[in-house]
Amino acid sequence: MKGHMNTEMGEIIIDNEVVAKYAGSAAVECFGIVGMAAVNVKDGLVKLLKRESISRGVNVEIDNDNMNIDMHIIVAYGVSITAVTENLISNVKYKVEEFTGLKAGTINVYVEGVRILD
């Protein structure tokens, strides 16, 4: 289901892909995040996504003006995963709520890998 809001001037419908791209962009701005991950369930392989396909690492479900977001990330080696994910959730929640006007429900973070930065 898409994000749906009624205003006094008309109706606003937000596609899940738009929210996913925005959430992915907000995520990679966070300290300690190397990038978004695509998981191949069949092979169990994790792939670091390029900037153009960042939304593939994000799954958004919108129901009754409430968003649930799943994010698959790769973190930098040597950082505190707890600190990075708490910062990520806070940052994405704030930015997506401001961007869409919808309330963020749950934001689930799946750490799919660790990468040593060059």
Side-chain angles (χ1 to χ4, degrees), residues 1-110:
M1 186 173 170
K2 297 180 181 184
H4 183 271
M5 293 180 291
N6 287 317
T7 67
E8 53 199 45
M9 296 179 73
E11 185 176 54
I12 301 170
I13 298 173
I14 305 170
D15 192 78
N16 292 4
E17 181 71 14
V18 172
V19 177
K21 264 192 180 162
Y22 196 79
S25 295
V28 295
E29 291 174 0
C30 294
F31 173 78
I33 304 290
V34 174
M36 304 305 293
V39 181
N40 183 339
V41 178
K42 179 182 168 196
D43 299 329
L45 297 174
V46 175
K47 178 182 169 189
L48 179 64
L49 294 171
K50 294 186 169 136
R51 188 97 174 137
E52 309 81 63
S53 56
I54 207 163
S55 63
R56 284 185 40 216
V58 182
N59 183 35
V60 176
E61 293 179 15
I62 302 173
D63 56 18
N64 301 329
D65 299 330
N66 204 23
M67 292 179 290
N68 296 313
I69 303 171
D70 293 337
M71 307 188 86
H72 298 268
I73 63 168
I74 297 176
V75 297
Y77 177 79
V79 298
S80 167
I81 292 175
T82 304
V84 168
T85 55
E86 285 175 355
N87 180 46
L88 170 69
I89 291 169
S90 174
N91 192 35
V92 169
K93 179 179 169 64
Y94 173 76
K95 287 189 174 185
V96 169
E97 284 181 347
E98 287 295 311
F99 178 63
T100 62
L102 299 171
K103 182 88 172 123
T106 58
I107 299 177
N108 300 311
V109 179
Y110 300 92

